[in-house]
């Protein structure tokens, strides 16, 4: 029997997702969250359509939680879109069998991708294993994609000498303006754009809620949920 088509060009892509189901706000309350549906689904579909394999990793290997707000019709172009995204998520067997970020070997993968949602603000921003993986991926030259609040993970990518590995890189990330418009800027302990700038990262701010992707060396970043699909397209170019 003939083997699967395109086996020769298939790559293995690691999706690193938040493992938390809440985001602790400045007043100590826990806001229910997780990963943002579109930011996982759109790239997943693009990568799978191109014939690539996907493995999901989370801190501790916990099954990731989807932010229920991200399944609402208003964030998916209406009820039909919301139903489609929910159906795709339900079919993603990879989400139910995550590996532990702590046990990931970068040599096993051809590219790494971090979706967002407010979850990374809670765990990946301070996760040492994820930070180490990001540094390794950045230094390896392998394609690295990070979208929306996913760049919170960059804050944990601190080199042994103390500097942030992403300092000097041009990136797109969820902006202070978008956080304000989403109603969380005055509730958050800290703002992503501000923290990244403080770490020496060159945040390229685009228009709110409009697709905005920045490519700098092997790093591909997107500003918001709408940037997920365009980011996937750019990442696929680097795997070609």
């Amino acid at each position: 029997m003939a083997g699967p088509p395109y086996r020769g060009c298939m790559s293995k892509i690691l999706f690193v997702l938040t493992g938390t189901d809440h985001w602790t706000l400045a007043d100590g309350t826990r806001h229910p969250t997780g990963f943002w549906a579109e930011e996982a689904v759109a790239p997943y579909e693009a990568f799978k359509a191109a014939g690539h394999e996907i493995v999901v990793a989370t801190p501790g290997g916990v099954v990731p939680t989807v932010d229920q707000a991200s399944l609402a019709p208003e964030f998916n172009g209406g009820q039909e879109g919301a139903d489609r995204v929910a159906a795709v998520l339900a079919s993603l067997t990879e989400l139910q069998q995550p590996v532990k970020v702590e046990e990931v070997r970068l040599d096993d993968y051809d590219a790494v991708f971090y979706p967002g949602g407010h979850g990374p603000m809670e765990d990946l921003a301070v996760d040492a294993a994820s930070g180490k993986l990001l540094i390794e991926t950045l230094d390896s030259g392998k394609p690295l994609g990070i979208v929306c609040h996913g760049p919170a993970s960059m804050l944990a990518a601190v080199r042994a000498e103390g500097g942030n590995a992403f300092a000097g890189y041009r990136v797109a990330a969820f902006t202070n303006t978008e956080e304000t418009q989403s109603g969380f800027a005055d509730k958050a302990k800290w703002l992503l754009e501000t923290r990244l700038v403080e770490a020496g990262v060159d945040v390229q701010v685009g228009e709110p809620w409009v697709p905005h992707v920045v490519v700098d060396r092997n790093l591909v970043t997107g500003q918001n949920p709408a940037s997920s699909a365009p980011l996937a397209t750019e990442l696929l170019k680097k795997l070609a």
Side-chain angles (χ1 to χ4, degrees), residues 29 31 84 114 171 180 183-184 197 207:
T29 59
H31 173 70
R84 192 190 76 81
Y114 278 66
V171 310
T180 299
F184 285 106
V197 170
E207 290 296 315

Side-chain angles (χ1 to χ4, degrees), residues 28-179:
T29 59
R30 290 184 164 197
H31 173 70
T33 187
F35 69 90
W36 197 258
E38 180 182 359
E39 296 168 25
V41 169
Y44 178 92
E45 291 187 308
F47 298 152
K48 292 293 272 192
H52 302 309
E53 180 184 349
I54 290 169
V55 174
V56 169
T58 62
V62 302
V63 175
T65 299
V66 65
D67 188 322
Q68 289 300 311
S70 68
L71 298 175
E74 57 264 36
F75 295 122
N76 294 284
Q79 189 61 53
E80 187 177 336
D83 292 343
R84 192 190 76 81
V85 167
V88 173
L89 274 180
S91 73
L92 303 194
T93 54
E94 294 93 340
L95 287 175
Q96 304 306 315
Q97 303 164 332
V99 300
K100 297 178 180 179
V101 170
E102 300 87 340
E103 298 177 359
V104 165
R105 289 178 67 257
L106 181 61
D107 287 348
D108 295 337
Y109 302 95
D110 301 291
V112 178
F113 173 65
Y114 278 66
H118 277 118
M121 302 279 281
E122 183 77 18
D123 62 354
L124 296 179
V126 293
D127 190 284
S130 170
K132 180 172 175 285
L133 174 63
L134 285 170
I135 293 171
E136 288 180 8
T137 309
L138 206 58
D139 293 350
S140 73
K142 292 181 178 183
L144 172 61
I146 315 179
V147 70
C148 201
H149 285 93
S153 62
M154 296 178 184
L155 299 172
V158 179
R159 295 190 185 276
E161 63 272 20
N164 190 284
F166 292 89
Y169 275 80
R170 293 181 301 108
V171 310
F174 201 71
T175 65
N176 290 353
T177 298
E178 286 166 322
E179 203 70 87

Side-chain angles (χ1 to χ4, degrees), residues 171-173 204-207 210-214 221-224 226-227 230:
V171 310
Q204 306 277 305
V205 178
E207 290 296 315
V210 174
H212 178 54
V213 175
V214 174
T221 50
Q223 180 171 308
N224 44 38
S227 305

Side-chain angles (χ1 to χ4, degrees), residues 187-208:
K187 300 175 183 176
K189 289 182 180 178
W190 48 271
L191 297 177
L192 179 56
E193 180 190 331
T194 299
R195 273 288 173 88
L196 289 172
V197 170
E198 290 171 352
V201 181
D202 182 6
V203 181
Q204 306 277 305
V205 178
E207 290 296 315

